[in-house]
Amino acid sequence: MKKTLLTVLLALLTATATQAAKKPWENGRLTVRGQYLVHENGTPFFWLGNTAWLLPERLNRDEVEFFLTRESEEGYNVEQIQVLDSNYPTFNVFGRQAFDDSFDFEPYTRPGEYGYWDHLDYIVEMAERMGIYIAMDCIWGGQVKRLTPEKAAKYGRFLANRYKDRPNIIWMIGGDIMGDKGMDSWEALARAIKAVDKVHLMTFHPRGRTTSAWWYNDREWLDFNMFQSGHRRYGQRNGDGDYTIRDNTEEDNWRYVAMSFGDKQEQIAGREVRGPQKPVIDGEPSYEDIPQGLHDFDAPRWQDYDVRRYAYWAVFAGCFGHTYGHNSIMQFMRPGVLGSFGAKKAWWDALEDPGYKQMKHLKRLMSSVPFTEGRCDQTVIASPNGERYDRIIATRGQDYLMAYNYSGRPMTLDLAKISGKKKKVWLMNPADGSLQYLGEYPNGKADFAFDGAYLRGSDRVVIAIDSSKNYFDKWH
Protein backbone atom coordinates (compact mmCIF):
# COMPACT_ATOMS: atom_id res chain seq x y z
CA MET A 1 0.00 0.00 0.00
CA LYS A 2 1.52 3.32 -1.07
CA LYS A 3 1.10 6.23 1.33
CA THR A 4 2.75 9.62 1.11
CA LEU A 5 4.37 11.19 4.16
CA LEU A 6 1.62 13.82 4.17
CA THR A 7 -1.05 11.10 4.22
CA VAL A 8 0.64 9.39 7.16
CA LEU A 9 0.99 12.65 9.09
CA LEU A 10 -2.64 13.58 8.49
CA ALA A 11 -3.73 10.12 9.62
CA LEU A 12 -1.68 10.42 12.79
CA LEU A 13 -3.06 13.88 13.56
CA THR A 14 -6.61 12.63 12.99
CA ALA A 15 -5.96 9.58 15.15
CA THR A 16 -4.66 11.81 17.97
CA ALA A 17 -7.76 14.02 17.78
CA THR A 18 -10.03 10.99 17.67
CA GLN A 19 -8.38 9.44 20.70
CA ALA A 20 -8.83 12.68 22.64
CA ALA A 21 -12.56 12.82 21.89
CA LYS A 22 -15.05 11.41 24.35
CA LYS A 23 -15.54 7.67 23.87
CA PRO A 24 -19.10 6.39 23.63
CA TRP A 25 -18.77 3.99 26.59
CA GLU A 26 -17.98 6.96 28.81
CA ASN A 27 -21.77 7.31 28.78
CA GLY A 28 -21.98 3.85 30.36
CA ARG A 29 -22.36 0.42 28.84
CA LEU A 30 -24.80 -0.28 26.03
CA THR A 31 -28.28 -1.32 27.11
CA VAL A 32 -31.58 -2.09 25.41
CA ARG A 33 -34.43 0.40 25.59
CA GLY A 34 -37.45 -0.64 23.55
CA GLN A 35 -36.34 -1.09 19.94
CA TYR A 36 -33.13 0.91 20.37
CA LEU A 37 -29.72 0.74 22.04
CA VAL A 38 -28.79 3.43 24.54
CA HIS A 39 -26.00 3.94 27.04
CA GLU A 40 -26.64 3.64 30.76
CA ASN A 41 -26.98 7.41 31.13
CA GLY A 42 -29.64 7.46 28.40
CA THR A 43 -27.45 8.69 25.53
CA PRO A 44 -28.74 7.13 22.27
CA PHE A 45 -26.40 4.89 20.28
CA PHE A 46 -26.75 4.78 16.50
CA TRP A 47 -24.92 1.71 15.19
CA LEU A 48 -23.03 2.41 11.96
CA GLY A 49 -21.19 -0.82 11.32
CA ASN A 50 -18.88 -2.22 8.69
CA THR A 51 -18.36 -5.86 7.78
CA ALA A 52 -14.62 -6.02 8.38
CA TRP A 53 -14.80 -9.81 8.57
CA LEU A 54 -11.16 -10.73 7.91
CA LEU A 55 -9.59 -7.84 9.83
CA PRO A 56 -7.85 -10.16 12.37
CA GLU A 57 -6.52 -12.45 9.65
CA ARG A 58 -5.44 -10.08 6.86
CA LEU A 59 -4.08 -6.81 8.34
CA ASN A 60 -0.83 -6.10 10.13
CA ARG A 61 -0.50 -3.58 12.95
CA ASP A 62 0.13 -0.50 10.78
CA GLU A 63 -2.74 -1.42 8.49
CA VAL A 64 -5.07 -1.93 11.44
CA GLU A 65 -4.32 1.59 12.66
CA PHE A 66 -4.72 3.07 9.18
CA PHE A 67 -8.02 1.28 8.58
CA LEU A 68 -9.57 2.07 11.95
CA THR A 69 -8.51 5.71 11.62
CA ARG A 70 -10.35 5.93 8.30
CA GLU A 71 -13.36 4.18 9.80
CA SER A 72 -13.51 6.74 12.57
CA GLU A 73 -13.21 9.60 10.08
CA GLU A 74 -16.16 8.25 8.11
CA GLY A 75 -18.35 7.79 11.19
CA TYR A 76 -18.24 4.01 11.53
CA ASN A 77 -18.45 2.94 15.16
CA VAL A 78 -18.80 -0.88 14.96
CA GLU A 79 -16.52 -3.38 13.20
CA GLN A 80 -18.02 -6.81 12.60
CA ILE A 81 -15.13 -9.29 12.54
CA GLN A 82 -14.62 -13.04 12.32
CA VAL A 83 -12.54 -14.15 15.29
CA LEU A 84 -12.17 -17.60 13.71
CA ASP A 85 -12.89 -17.54 9.99
CA SER A 86 -14.27 -20.18 7.63
CA ASN A 87 -10.84 -21.77 7.08
CA TYR A 88 -9.45 -24.45 9.36
CA PRO A 89 -7.20 -23.74 11.07
CA THR A 90 -7.36 -19.95 11.15
CA PHE A 91 -4.08 -18.05 10.64
CA ASN A 92 -3.30 -14.34 10.64
CA VAL A 93 -0.98 -12.29 8.41
CA PHE A 94 1.97 -13.18 10.63
CA GLY A 95 1.39 -16.90 10.13
CA ARG A 96 0.17 -17.35 13.69
CA GLN A 97 -2.41 -20.08 14.26
CA ALA A 98 -5.51 -19.42 16.35
CA PHE A 99 -6.71 -22.86 17.45
CA ASP A 100 -6.92 -26.56 16.70
CA ASP A 101 -9.56 -29.24 17.04
CA SER A 102 -8.99 -29.60 20.77
CA PHE A 103 -9.98 -25.97 21.44
CA ASP A 104 -7.12 -25.84 23.91
CA PHE A 105 -5.80 -22.30 23.51
CA GLU A 106 -2.79 -22.54 25.81
CA PRO A 107 -0.39 -23.51 22.96
CA TYR A 108 -1.47 -20.37 21.07
CA THR A 109 -1.12 -17.89 23.95
CA ARG A 110 2.51 -18.28 24.98
CA PRO A 111 4.05 -15.40 27.00
CA GLY A 112 6.63 -13.39 25.07
CA GLU A 113 5.33 -14.52 21.69
CA TYR A 114 3.15 -12.24 19.53
CA GLY A 115 0.54 -14.83 18.68
CA TYR A 116 -2.88 -14.77 17.04
CA TRP A 117 -4.67 -13.68 20.18
CA ASP A 118 -2.13 -10.95 20.95
CA HIS A 119 -2.87 -9.46 17.54
CA LEU A 120 -6.59 -9.62 18.23
CA ASP A 121 -5.91 -7.86 21.55
CA TYR A 122 -4.12 -5.14 19.60
CA ILE A 123 -7.11 -4.71 17.27
CA VAL A 124 -9.49 -4.38 20.20
CA GLU A 125 -7.17 -1.90 21.94
CA MET A 126 -6.72 0.20 18.79
CA ALA A 127 -10.47 0.26 18.20
CA GLU A 128 -10.94 1.34 21.81
CA ARG A 129 -8.58 4.26 21.24
CA MET A 130 -10.68 5.24 18.21
CA GLY A 131 -14.01 4.97 20.03
CA ILE A 132 -15.08 1.95 17.94
CA TYR A 133 -16.86 -1.20 19.08
CA ILE A 134 -15.69 -4.64 17.96
CA ALA A 135 -18.57 -6.99 17.21
CA MET A 136 -16.87 -10.37 17.57
CA ASP A 137 -18.33 -13.18 15.53
CA CYS A 138 -16.76 -15.91 17.63
CA ILE A 139 -16.50 -18.62 14.97
CA TRP A 140 -17.95 -18.55 11.45
CA GLY A 141 -20.97 -20.77 10.96
CA GLY A 142 -19.32 -23.30 8.66
CA GLN A 143 -16.97 -24.24 11.49
CA VAL A 144 -19.79 -25.37 13.76
CA LYS A 145 -19.14 -28.94 12.65
CA ARG A 146 -15.95 -28.77 14.73
CA LEU A 147 -17.85 -27.62 17.81
CA THR A 148 -19.43 -29.93 20.32
CA PRO A 149 -21.38 -28.20 23.10
CA GLU A 150 -18.46 -29.00 25.42
CA LYS A 151 -15.88 -27.39 23.10
CA ALA A 152 -18.20 -24.46 22.49
CA ALA A 153 -18.49 -23.83 26.23
CA LYS A 154 -14.72 -24.10 26.63
CA TYR A 155 -14.18 -21.60 23.82
CA GLY A 156 -16.81 -19.26 25.22
CA ARG A 157 -15.13 -19.15 28.62
CA PHE A 158 -11.76 -18.44 26.98
CA LEU A 159 -13.15 -15.53 24.94
CA ALA A 160 -15.21 -14.04 27.75
CA ASN A 161 -12.38 -14.12 30.27
CA ARG A 162 -10.04 -12.48 27.74
CA TYR A 163 -12.34 -9.62 26.71
CA LYS A 164 -14.97 -9.16 29.44
CA ASP A 165 -13.20 -6.08 30.83
CA ARG A 166 -12.86 -4.34 27.47
CA PRO A 167 -15.48 -1.56 27.10
CA ASN A 168 -15.91 -1.95 23.33
CA ILE A 169 -17.05 -5.55 22.86
CA ILE A 170 -20.29 -6.82 21.30
CA TRP A 171 -20.73 -10.59 20.98
CA MET A 172 -21.98 -12.31 17.82
CA ILE A 173 -22.93 -15.98 17.82
CA GLY A 174 -23.42 -17.89 14.58
CA GLY A 175 -22.09 -16.59 11.29
CA ASP A 176 -23.98 -16.88 8.00
CA ILE A 177 -25.81 -20.02 9.07
CA MET A 178 -29.38 -21.12 9.68
CA GLY A 179 -30.09 -20.88 13.39
CA ASP A 180 -31.19 -24.49 13.71
CA LYS A 181 -27.87 -25.84 12.39
CA GLY A 182 -25.63 -26.67 15.35
CA MET A 183 -28.12 -25.10 17.74
CA ASP A 184 -26.84 -26.97 20.82
CA SER A 185 -23.31 -25.69 20.22
CA TRP A 186 -24.45 -22.12 19.58
CA GLU A 187 -26.50 -22.18 22.77
CA ALA A 188 -23.55 -23.55 24.76
CA LEU A 189 -21.21 -20.91 23.34
CA ALA A 190 -23.63 -18.06 24.10
CA ARG A 191 -24.37 -19.18 27.63
CA ALA A 192 -20.71 -19.80 28.46
CA ILE A 193 -19.85 -16.24 27.42
CA LYS A 194 -22.80 -14.77 29.32
CA ALA A 195 -21.92 -16.72 32.46
CA VAL A 196 -18.58 -14.90 32.58
CA ASP A 197 -19.45 -11.60 30.90
CA LYS A 198 -22.71 -10.12 32.15
CA VAL A 199 -22.01 -6.67 30.71
CA HIS A 200 -21.70 -6.79 26.93
CA LEU A 201 -24.58 -7.24 24.49
CA MET A 202 -25.00 -10.33 22.32
CA THR A 203 -26.71 -11.24 19.03
CA PHE A 204 -26.75 -14.01 16.40
CA HIS A 205 -25.60 -13.54 12.79
CA PRO A 206 -27.82 -15.72 10.55
CA ARG A 207 -27.78 -16.92 6.97
CA GLY A 208 -28.90 -14.70 4.11
CA ARG A 209 -32.61 -13.95 3.92
CA THR A 210 -33.22 -15.00 7.53
CA THR A 211 -33.46 -13.33 10.93
CA SER A 212 -32.20 -14.56 14.29
CA ALA A 213 -35.67 -13.81 15.67
CA TRP A 214 -37.02 -17.03 14.14
CA TRP A 215 -34.88 -19.22 16.37
CA TYR A 216 -33.54 -17.24 19.32
CA ASN A 217 -35.81 -14.29 20.04
CA ASP A 218 -37.01 -15.84 23.32
CA ARG A 219 -33.50 -16.72 24.56
CA GLU A 220 -32.27 -14.86 27.61
CA TRP A 221 -28.79 -14.46 26.11
CA LEU A 222 -30.00 -12.71 22.93
CA ASP A 223 -30.12 -8.95 23.53
CA PHE A 224 -31.01 -7.87 20.01
CA ASN A 225 -31.85 -9.52 16.71
CA MET A 226 -29.84 -9.46 13.52
CA PHE A 227 -30.95 -10.35 10.03
CA GLN A 228 -28.96 -10.77 6.85
CA SER A 229 -30.96 -9.42 3.93
CA GLY A 230 -28.18 -10.77 1.73
CA HIS A 231 -27.01 -10.19 -1.81
CA ARG A 232 -29.81 -11.45 -4.08
CA ARG A 233 -31.79 -9.24 -6.42
CA TYR A 234 -35.52 -9.57 -6.94
CA GLY A 235 -36.43 -13.02 -8.28
CA GLN A 236 -32.90 -14.40 -7.91
CA ARG A 237 -32.78 -17.74 -6.10
CA ASN A 238 -29.53 -19.26 -7.35
CA GLY A 239 -30.51 -22.76 -6.28
CA ASP A 240 -31.40 -21.86 -2.70
CA GLY A 241 -33.13 -24.91 -1.32
CA ASP A 242 -34.58 -23.88 2.02
CA TYR A 243 -36.08 -20.61 0.79
CA THR A 244 -37.33 -18.57 3.67
CA ILE A 245 -39.14 -15.57 2.19
CA ARG A 246 -41.92 -14.82 -0.26
CA ASP A 247 -41.17 -14.88 -3.96
CA ASN A 248 -39.71 -11.71 -5.46
CA THR A 249 -39.09 -9.92 -2.16
CA GLU A 250 -35.33 -10.52 -1.96
CA GLU A 251 -34.36 -6.83 -1.87
CA ASP A 252 -37.13 -5.77 0.52
CA ASN A 253 -35.00 -5.68 3.64
CA TRP A 254 -37.68 -3.63 5.41
CA ARG A 255 -39.75 -6.83 5.54
CA TYR A 256 -37.20 -8.49 7.83
CA VAL A 257 -37.64 -5.66 10.32
CA ALA A 258 -41.38 -6.25 10.32
CA MET A 259 -40.85 -10.01 10.66
CA SER A 260 -38.53 -9.53 13.62
CA PHE A 261 -41.08 -7.25 15.30
CA GLY A 262 -43.75 -9.91 14.90
CA ASP A 263 -45.78 -8.14 12.18
CA LYS A 264 -48.44 -10.75 11.31
CA GLN A 265 -48.72 -9.48 7.74
CA GLU A 266 -45.06 -10.31 7.16
CA GLN A 267 -44.93 -13.60 9.06
CA ILE A 268 -44.06 -16.76 7.17
CA ALA A 269 -45.62 -20.08 8.13
CA GLY A 270 -43.32 -21.97 10.47
CA ARG A 271 -41.22 -18.88 11.16
CA GLU A 272 -43.31 -17.11 13.77
CA VAL A 273 -41.39 -15.00 16.26
CA ARG A 274 -41.81 -16.01 19.90
CA GLY A 275 -41.07 -13.91 22.93
CA PRO A 276 -40.69 -10.17 23.53
CA GLN A 277 -39.98 -7.57 20.89
CA LYS A 278 -36.25 -6.87 20.69
CA PRO A 279 -34.15 -4.34 18.77
CA VAL A 280 -33.10 -5.43 15.28
CA ILE A 281 -30.46 -4.55 12.68
CA ASP A 282 -29.54 -5.59 9.14
CA GLY A 283 -26.09 -7.04 9.85
CA GLU A 284 -25.32 -7.94 6.24
CA PRO A 285 -27.12 -6.27 3.33
CA SER A 286 -25.93 -6.27 -0.29
CA TYR A 287 -22.31 -5.14 -0.41
CA GLU A 288 -21.04 -2.35 -2.59
CA ASP A 289 -19.16 -3.74 -5.63
CA ILE A 290 -20.25 -7.37 -5.14
CA PRO A 291 -22.00 -9.27 -7.97
CA GLN A 292 -25.76 -9.45 -7.61
CA GLY A 293 -26.33 -12.99 -6.37
CA LEU A 294 -22.62 -13.46 -5.49
CA HIS A 295 -21.72 -16.36 -7.76
CA ASP A 296 -21.79 -14.99 -11.33
CA PHE A 297 -18.84 -12.62 -11.45
CA ASP A 298 -20.08 -11.14 -14.74
CA ALA A 299 -23.39 -10.12 -13.15
CA PRO A 300 -24.10 -6.44 -12.44
CA ARG A 301 -22.61 -5.22 -9.19
CA TRP A 302 -24.37 -3.44 -6.38
CA GLN A 303 -23.65 0.28 -6.45
CA ASP A 304 -23.68 3.17 -4.01
CA TYR A 305 -27.36 3.92 -4.62
CA ASP A 306 -28.17 0.30 -3.78
CA VAL A 307 -26.35 0.36 -0.44
CA ARG A 308 -28.05 3.67 0.36
CA ARG A 309 -31.45 2.14 -0.32
CA TYR A 310 -30.76 -0.81 1.97
CA ALA A 311 -29.56 1.52 4.73
CA TYR A 312 -32.46 3.99 4.66
CA TRP A 313 -35.11 1.31 4.17
CA ALA A 314 -33.81 -0.61 7.19
CA VAL A 315 -33.43 2.35 9.55
CA PHE A 316 -36.71 4.02 8.60
CA ALA A 317 -38.44 0.64 9.01
CA GLY A 318 -37.27 0.55 12.63
CA CYS A 319 -33.67 -0.69 12.88
CA PHE A 320 -31.48 0.92 15.55
CA GLY A 321 -28.68 1.41 13.01
CA HIS A 322 -27.19 -0.27 9.97
CA THR A 323 -24.16 -2.25 8.82
CA TYR A 324 -22.51 -1.38 5.51
CA GLY A 325 -20.44 -3.82 3.49
CA HIS A 326 -17.98 -3.73 0.59
CA ASN A 327 -16.78 -6.72 -1.40
CA SER A 328 -13.10 -5.75 -1.12
CA ILE A 329 -13.14 -4.35 2.40
CA MET A 330 -14.87 -7.31 4.02
CA GLN A 331 -12.07 -9.63 2.83
CA PHE A 332 -9.31 -6.96 2.77
CA MET A 333 -8.47 -7.67 -0.85
CA ARG A 334 -5.00 -6.74 -2.08
CA PRO A 335 -2.77 -7.51 -5.08
CA GLY A 336 -1.46 -11.04 -4.93
CA VAL A 337 -4.50 -12.38 -3.07
CA LEU A 338 -7.12 -14.48 -4.87
CA GLY A 339 -10.31 -12.64 -4.05
CA SER A 340 -13.67 -14.20 -3.34
CA PHE A 341 -16.82 -13.16 -5.23
CA GLY A 342 -14.87 -11.56 -8.07
CA ALA A 343 -13.18 -8.92 -5.89
CA LYS A 344 -10.27 -7.19 -7.63
CA LYS A 345 -10.01 -3.76 -6.04
CA ALA A 346 -7.48 -3.25 -3.23
CA TRP A 347 -9.23 -2.60 0.08
CA TRP A 348 -7.50 0.78 0.55
CA ASP A 349 -8.86 1.90 -2.83
CA ALA A 350 -12.32 0.72 -1.83
CA LEU A 351 -12.21 3.25 1.02
CA GLU A 352 -12.69 5.88 -1.69
CA ASP A 353 -15.85 4.32 -3.13
CA PRO A 354 -18.95 6.51 -2.91
CA GLY A 355 -21.22 4.22 -0.89
CA TYR A 356 -18.57 3.78 1.79
CA LYS A 357 -18.39 7.55 2.25
CA GLN A 358 -22.16 8.14 2.13
CA MET A 359 -23.20 6.12 5.19
CA LYS A 360 -22.15 8.88 7.57
CA HIS A 361 -24.94 11.09 6.22
CA LEU A 362 -27.55 8.64 7.52
CA LYS A 363 -25.90 8.55 10.93
CA ARG A 364 -25.79 12.34 11.07
CA LEU A 365 -29.42 12.58 9.98
CA MET A 366 -30.68 10.24 12.67
CA SER A 367 -28.45 11.78 15.32
CA SER A 368 -29.92 15.21 14.56
CA VAL A 369 -33.32 14.22 15.95
CA PRO A 370 -34.46 12.25 19.03
CA PHE A 371 -34.50 9.11 16.91
CA THR A 372 -35.02 6.72 19.83
CA GLU A 373 -38.49 8.24 20.18
CA GLY A 374 -39.26 7.43 16.55
CA ARG A 375 -41.20 4.60 14.96
CA CYS A 376 -41.90 3.51 11.41
CA ASP A 377 -45.30 4.97 10.46
CA GLN A 378 -46.53 4.28 6.93
CA THR A 379 -49.71 6.28 7.55
CA VAL A 380 -47.55 9.35 7.01
CA ILE A 381 -47.64 8.50 3.29
CA ALA A 382 -50.98 9.86 2.08
CA SER A 383 -50.60 8.84 -1.58
CA PRO A 384 -50.71 5.26 -2.92
CA ASN A 385 -47.44 3.53 -2.07
CA GLY A 386 -45.47 1.48 -4.55
CA GLU A 387 -43.78 -1.90 -4.63
CA ARG A 388 -40.13 -2.81 -4.96
CA TYR A 389 -38.09 0.29 -5.85
CA ASP A 390 -41.15 2.52 -5.62
CA ARG A 391 -41.63 1.63 -1.96
CA ILE A 392 -41.59 4.74 0.24
CA ILE A 393 -40.79 4.26 3.92
CA ALA A 394 -41.50 6.81 6.63
CA THR A 395 -40.42 7.21 10.22
CA ARG A 396 -41.60 9.79 12.72
CA GLY A 397 -41.29 11.01 16.27
CA GLN A 398 -43.62 13.36 18.08
CA ASP A 399 -42.26 16.46 16.34
CA TYR A 400 -40.45 15.22 13.23
CA LEU A 401 -41.04 12.92 10.28
CA MET A 402 -38.87 11.63 7.46
CA ALA A 403 -39.80 9.78 4.28
CA TYR A 404 -37.25 7.99 2.08
CA ASN A 405 -38.12 7.90 -1.60
CA TYR A 406 -35.71 5.79 -3.64
CA SER A 407 -37.19 6.08 -7.11
CA GLY A 408 -38.08 9.77 -7.12
CA ARG A 409 -41.77 9.23 -7.82
CA PRO A 410 -44.15 12.00 -6.65
CA MET A 411 -45.66 11.46 -3.22
CA THR A 412 -48.01 13.05 -0.71
CA LEU A 413 -47.19 13.23 3.00
CA ASP A 414 -49.52 13.95 5.90
CA LEU A 415 -47.68 16.58 7.92
CA ALA A 416 -50.44 16.55 10.54
CA LYS A 417 -48.97 13.33 11.90
CA ILE A 418 -46.53 15.36 13.99
CA SER A 419 -46.93 18.28 16.37
CA GLY A 420 -46.99 21.93 15.35
CA LYS A 421 -49.33 24.19 13.42
CA LYS A 422 -46.58 24.79 10.88
CA LYS A 423 -43.74 22.56 9.67
CA LYS A 424 -40.29 23.41 8.39
CA VAL A 425 -39.49 21.09 5.47
CA TRP A 426 -36.19 20.07 3.89
CA LEU A 427 -35.13 17.83 1.05
CA MET A 428 -31.99 15.79 1.74
CA ASN A 429 -29.75 14.20 -0.86
CA PRO A 430 -28.39 10.99 0.75
CA ALA A 431 -25.53 10.88 -1.76
CA ASP A 432 -23.83 13.98 -0.39
CA GLY A 433 -25.74 14.87 2.76
CA SER A 434 -26.85 18.23 1.41
CA LEU A 435 -30.07 19.84 2.63
CA GLN A 436 -32.38 22.04 0.56
CA TYR A 437 -34.81 24.09 2.59
CA LEU A 438 -38.25 23.92 0.96
CA GLY A 439 -39.95 26.37 3.29
CA GLU A 440 -42.57 26.43 5.99
CA TYR A 441 -45.68 24.37 5.29
CA PRO A 442 -49.13 24.56 6.87
CA ASN A 443 -50.51 21.58 8.76
CA GLY A 444 -52.08 18.92 6.56
CA LYS A 445 -51.20 17.03 3.41
CA ALA A 446 -48.44 18.21 1.11
CA ASP A 447 -47.34 17.04 -2.33
CA PHE A 448 -43.69 16.49 -3.20
CA ALA A 449 -42.22 16.01 -6.68
CA PHE A 450 -38.54 15.63 -7.48
CA ASP A 451 -36.48 17.22 -10.21
CA GLY A 452 -34.50 14.18 -11.25
CA ALA A 453 -34.50 11.03 -13.36
CA TYR A 454 -36.53 8.05 -12.25
CA LEU A 455 -34.44 5.55 -10.18
CA ARG A 456 -30.67 5.13 -9.86
CA GLY A 457 -29.43 8.04 -7.86
CA SER A 458 -32.66 10.01 -7.56
CA ASP A 459 -33.27 8.95 -3.96
CA ARG A 460 -34.23 11.73 -1.57
CA VAL A 461 -35.40 12.15 2.01
CA VAL A 462 -38.18 14.60 2.82
CA ILE A 463 -37.81 15.90 6.38
CA ALA A 464 -40.52 17.83 8.20
CA ILE A 465 -40.28 19.11 11.75
CA ASP A 466 -42.43 21.14 14.06
CA SER A 467 -41.53 24.78 13.29
CA SER A 468 -40.85 25.42 16.97
CA LYS A 469 -37.91 23.00 16.86
CA ASN A 470 -34.44 23.74 15.51
CA TYR A 471 -33.01 20.30 14.80
CA PHE A 472 -31.58 21.27 11.40
CA ASP A 473 -30.83 24.95 11.82
CA LYS A 474 -27.09 24.26 12.24
CA TRP A 475 -26.76 21.70 9.44
CA HIS A 476 -24.02 22.65 6.98
Side-chain angles (χ1 to χ4, degrees), residues 12 15 18-19 23 25 55 60-69 72 79 119-134 166 168:
L12 289 174
T18 300
Q19 293 161 27
K23 304 300 187 289
W25 38 85
L55 175 61
N60 63 33
R61 290 170 64 94
D62 290 341
E63 290 168 335
V64 167
E65 182 173 5
F66 175 79
F67 174 68
L68 291 177
T69 299
S72 178
E79 305 297 333
H119 191 51
L120 186 59
D121 293 346
Y122 172 79
I123 291 170
V124 173
E125 291 164 5
M126 182 58 65
E128 182 181 344
R129 290 168 58 187
M130 300 291 178
I132 295 173
Y133 285 89
I134 296 293
R166 293 291 181 184
N168 59 327

Side-chain angles (χ1 to χ4, degrees), residues 38-203:
V38 301
H39 294 278
E40 282 182 304
N41 68 359
T43 302
F45 177 73
F46 185 86
W47 171 309
L48 184 59
N50 197 353
T51 49
W53 293 128
L54 295 184
L55 175 61
E57 292 82 16
R58 291 278 174 89
L59 298 194
N60 63 33
R61 290 170 64 94
D62 290 341
E63 290 168 335
V64 167
E65 182 173 5
F66 175 79
F67 174 68
L68 291 177
T69 299
R70 282 299 309 274
E71 291 286 275
S72 178
E73 292 170 352
E74 295 297 333
Y76 293 95
N77 54 14
V78 180
E79 305 297 333
Q80 295 178 195
I81 68 169
Q82 294 177 6
V83 176
L84 301 178
D85 65 24
S86 57
N87 296 312
Y88 176 78
T90 297
F91 287 88
N92 66 18
V93 68
F94 303 108
R96 298 300 187 183
Q97 187 173 336
F99 75 123
D100 57 32
D101 261 338
S102 71
F103 282 80
D104 177 8
F105 296 95
E106 187 175 351
Y108 307 102
T109 54
R110 295 188 178 97
E113 180 179 295
Y114 191 75
Y116 186 92
W117 300 99
D118 298 292
H119 191 51
L120 186 59
D121 293 346
Y122 172 79
I123 291 170
V124 173
E125 291 164 5
M126 182 58 65
E128 182 181 344
R129 290 168 58 187
M130 300 291 178
I132 295 173
Y133 285 89
I134 296 293
M136 288 191 171
D137 189 281
C138 305
I139 181 169
W140 203 238
Q143 293 277 21
V144 73
K145 60 182 178 290
R146 302 187 183 281
L147 277 180
T148 62
E150 293 72 25
K151 290 179 179 179
K154 184 178 181 181
Y155 179 41
R157 289 189 292 271
F158 167 78
L159 280 178
N161 280 306
R162 195 171 187 96
Y163 297 110
K164 62 183 174 64
D165 296 325
R166 293 291 181 184
N168 59 327
I169 298 298
I170 298 168
W171 298 110
M172 294 173 63
I173 308 301
D176 196 29
I177 191 170
M178 300 288 279
D180 55 359
K181 309 296 187 203
M183 182 176 282
D184 290 345
S185 293
W186 297 131
E187 296 259 24
L189 176 61
R191 291 198 167 96
I193 292 173
K194 282 285 190 174
V196 174
D197 179 3
K198 304 183 187 303
V199 173
H200 297 115
L201 299 182
M202 179 177 285
T203 189

